[in-house]
Amino acid sequence: MNKTVAFFGLGHMGGPMTVNLLKAGFSVSGFDPVPELLDLAASHGVKRSASPLETIAGADFVVSMLPNGEDVEALYIDREKLLDRIDKSALVIDCSTVAATSSKRLIAEAQKRGMSAIEAPVSGGVAGAAAGTLSFMCGGEAAHVERAREVLQHMGSNVFHAGPAGAGQTAKMCNNMLLAIHMIGTAEALQLGVDNGLDPKVLSAIMLKSSGANWSLEKYNPYPGVMEKVPASNKYEGGFMVKLMCKDLGLAQQAATASRSYTPLGSLARNLYGLHSLAGNDELDFSSIQRLVGKIN
Ligand code: NAD
């Protein structure tokens, strides 16, 4: 019989992730408080459930892809208290990007109840979620990570075990701080070129074969019209929202304070994204930082 996945959070990432699980032959029951997202998921074959309790019935795996740590802790521990309701034989896999402390709490609370849980935050964006090429950065017991591969391998091409509880989130936080820094740098360089008469497509092609090449330039060009199928060419809609990048940069700064690590560029990136957020851009994709460094539509 097909194994069953209960999936919480059917947004930009969770939606396409469930499609890949369906393609791999899993039965998927899903929940999201936004009815339109439930409708969309149901149109792909996700079993619509009216409540979180209904979602977890008979699940072999419970996967969540939620905005932040408060949502995760509320769902599993404080509000819906799902850890008290999920069958003990199921494996809980939280893929949300949250503070390492939230993941440690989730995993410890699961252990107390004799249950298995890991954190598995991802990299690869909405395109990676749709293509099933995400990278998972897992934290928790090695045996649970091995077990999670049965599900994760259908949503991603890399499953890393970063270390014990919290280690996956630490890896994710470091990665996203670097991502924000090279996205801002890429936007600045493109704007400087445009302001000095260069075509952003020509400049991008040159830098891609030069020492300025990086992921933002190659896969997620922030200048409108340079690449197809990226948020910059869709009025910065879809993708990874500015408010979520602000959250991640805040997590990095909190961790840096606690570990007395000095992250001057991470701190600047947080402030620049914070200003961009205050200017009303929270719901736009994070590559819209291009608008902060120049006049584009
Ligand atoms: P999103 O806001 O599009 O989706 C999150 C969904 O979770 C929303 O639809 C929301 O209604 C739902 N939700 C909130 N509380 C819920 C609950 N209790 N039960 C069920 N659903 C609930 O955000 P997203 O872009 O899909 O990001 C999700 C997570 O993935 C975030 O932690 C983000 O940082 C991380 N992430 C996003 C990207 C990206 O490119 N978008 C990339 C890597 C990681």
Side-chain angles (χ1 to χ4, degrees), residues 10-295:
L10 303 168
H12 289 102
M13 296 295 285
M17 288 163 80
T18 57
V19 172
N20 284 322
L21 290 177
L22 290 165
K23 276 188 202 154
F26 288 96
S27 292
V28 182
S29 60
F31 184 77
D32 194 296
V34 178
E36 295 77 23
L37 292 175
L38 265 182
D39 291 343
L40 184 63
S43 75
H44 291 123
V46 170
K47 191 176 151 223
R48 162 199 285 285
S49 38
S51 69
L53 264 190
E54 201 181 307
T55 317
I56 57 173
D60 300 291
F61 298 93
V62 178
V63 180
S64 42
M65 194 50 165
L66 307 182
N68 55 53
E70 291 77 56
D71 299 314
V72 172
E73 293 184 47
L75 179 69
Y76 288 109
I77 307 164
D78 300 320
R79 198 178 53 221
E80 279 88 8
K81 301 183 194 296
L82 284 194
L83 285 187
D84 294 328
R85 310 295 184 95
I86 295 169
D87 193 285
K88 287 204 184 339
S89 64
L91 175 65
V92 174
I93 307 171
D94 179 43
C95 297
S96 325
T97 304
V98 304
T101 46
S102 286
S103 288
K104 284 182 186 170
R105 182 173 178 228
L106 171 66
I107 291 170
E109 290 291 330
Q111 266 170 355
K112 265 194 221 165
R113 293 164 175 79
M115 299 172 67
S116 312
I118 62 164
E119 84 223 32
V122 310
S123 178
V126 174
T133 55
L134 295 170
S135 288
F136 289 92
M137 308 172 199
C138 304
E141 280 183 30
H144 299 337
V145 174
E146 280 313 304
R147 193 174 151 205
R149 283 180 196 275
E150 183 178 348
V151 175
L152 300 183
Q153 66 178 342
H154 299 291
M155 301 187 284
S157 35
N158 296 292
V159 179
F160 296 103
H161 183 203
Q169 298 296 352
T170 301
K172 172 66 185 166
M173 163 188 91
C174 295
N175 181 76
N176 272 26
M177 186 180 80
L178 179 57
L179 168 64
I181 292 168
H182 64 62
M183 179 57 81
I184 296 168
T186 301
E188 268 183 30
L190 288 169
Q191 191 63 48
L192 179 64
V194 169
D195 291 347
N196 285 276
L198 284 183
D199 177 336
K201 275 192 186 170
V202 173
L203 177 57
S204 295
I206 293 171
M207 293 196 294
L208 272 175
K209 294 291 176 199
S210 307
S211 44
N214 67 75
W215 186 92
S216 293
L217 190 65
E218 189 189 345
K219 307 258 199 231
Y220 217 94
N221 197 299
Y223 207 93
V226 173
M227 277 179 88
E228 286 177 4
K229 296 185 181 166
V230 289
S233 297
N234 185 32
K235 297 188 166 54
Y236 297 109
E237 281 165 15
F240 180 44
M241 288 182 278
V242 167
K243 66 181 176 190
L244 293 178
M245 179 52 98
C246 286
K247 170 200 62 169
D248 291 2
L249 291 169
L251 293 176
Q253 289 306 291
Q254 277 170 17
T257 304
S259 58
R260 297 197 64 201
S261 306
Y262 298 99
T263 54
L265 292 182
S267 167
L268 181 57
R270 183 183 180 220
N271 282 300
L272 291 173
Y273 270 103
L275 289 174
H276 193 48
S277 152
L278 284 177
N281 298 305
D282 256 350
E283 308 289 320
L284 294 183
D285 177 72
F286 80 113
S287 62
S288 63
I289 198 78
Q290 186 73 53
R291 288 184 177 165
L292 192 78
V293 297
K295 279 193 188 144

